[in-house]
């Protein structure tokens, strides 16, 4: 193991940076999702943060978000614009983009969408979307069983 580390084959910092860069550029994931995936793979948090910082210097998270948003907008034309922008907002948050960046970019790309985003709020501490009032009926507890 030590020999592999000395030769640079086992370098968690470089792994984190390459993983984050490809996650941003190729998979369209934001920093929150990439951080969670790296930590779940056993990379130590300081190395994850350093790797993310290096990747974000090379790949613009805002540009990745815009590209994804525009593609989503084209593919979901059957939804009315107000509902489409709300669904896009939630989609981008699930992809791991910071909520402030999502709101900023969506408002700039679609200025008339501001009103549709007003009803959406965030758990600021965790950057988790919440809706002020549910827009769908409660279907009760899940009845599907998980497969082992």
């Amino acid at each position: 193991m030590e020999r592999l580390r000395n030769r640079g084959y086992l370098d968690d910092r470089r792994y984190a940076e390459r993983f984050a860069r490809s996650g941003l550029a190729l998979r369209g994931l934001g920093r929150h999702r990439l951080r969670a995936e790296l930590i779940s793979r056993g990379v130590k948090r300081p190395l994850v943060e350093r790797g993310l910082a290096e990747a974000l210097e090379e790949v613009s998270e805002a540009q990745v978000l815009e590209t994804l948003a525009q593609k989503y907008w084209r593919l979901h034309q059957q939804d009315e614009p107000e509902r489409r922008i709300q669904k896009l907002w939630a989609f981008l948050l699930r992809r791991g983009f910071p909520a402030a960046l999502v709101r900023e970019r969506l408002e700039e790309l679609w200025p008339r969408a501001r009103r549709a985003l007003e009803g959406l709020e965030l758990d600021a501490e965790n950057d988790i979307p919440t809706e002020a009032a549910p827009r769908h009926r409660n279907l009760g507890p899940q009845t599907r069983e998980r497969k082992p």
Side-chain angles (χ1 to χ4, degrees):
M1 251 341 202
E2 193 60 36
R3 189 173 70 215
L4 292 173
R5 276 196 185 92
N6 290 337
R7 291 186 179 182
Y9 294 122
L10 294 177
D11 184 345
D12 281 353
R13 185 198 55 76
R14 283 182 44 212
Y15 170 74
E17 188 267 328
R18 285 191 314 264
F19 184 90
R21 187 175 350 105
S22 69
L24 278 163
L26 303 175
R27 295 172 50 211
L29 300 177
R31 68 181 72 195
H32 296 319
R33 176 97 171 260
L34 292 166
R35 180 180 294 117
E37 287 189 18
L38 283 164
I39 289 171
S40 75
R41 291 169 187 256
V43 180
K44 302 281 188 238
R45 189 172 201 87
L47 298 175
V48 168
E49 297 304 327
R50 191 177 321 158
L52 274 171
E54 290 174 12
L56 289 167
E57 287 176 10
E58 296 178 32
V59 180
S60 167
E61 190 175 31
Q63 185 59 51
V64 172
L65 185 153
E66 283 183 26
T67 301
L68 268 177
Q70 290 169 342
K71 181 178 180 179
Y72 185 98
W73 194 260
R74 283 190 315 271
L75 293 175
H76 293 85
Q77 291 182 9
Q78 73 278 6
D79 295 329
E80 65 180 75
E82 186 171 315
R83 185 66 182 140
R84 187 174 1 165
I85 201 79
Q86 292 168 346
K87 290 168 70 174
L88 172 57
W89 184 77
F91 168 77
L92 292 168
L93 290 179
R94 285 191 307 272
R95 301 289 293 185
F97 293 98
L101 179 62
V102 171
R103 184 176 295 276
E104 172 192 314
R105 302 312 308 143
L106 293 183
E107 287 178 352
E108 187 170 315
L109 288 168
W110 295 284
R112 287 186 254 164
R114 273 197 180 103
R115 201 176 105 245
L117 293 171
E118 286 175 3
L120 301 173
E121 299 173 3
L122 285 174
D123 173 346
E125 181 179 317
N126 299 313
D127 220 13
I128 298 171
T130 60
E131 287 192 55
R135 297 185 185 275
H136 56 81
R137 64 178 187 209
N138 184 357
L139 299 176
Q142 291 285 5
T143 56
R144 283 190 311 179
E145 294 182 19
R146 292 186 179 205
K147 294 181 181 179

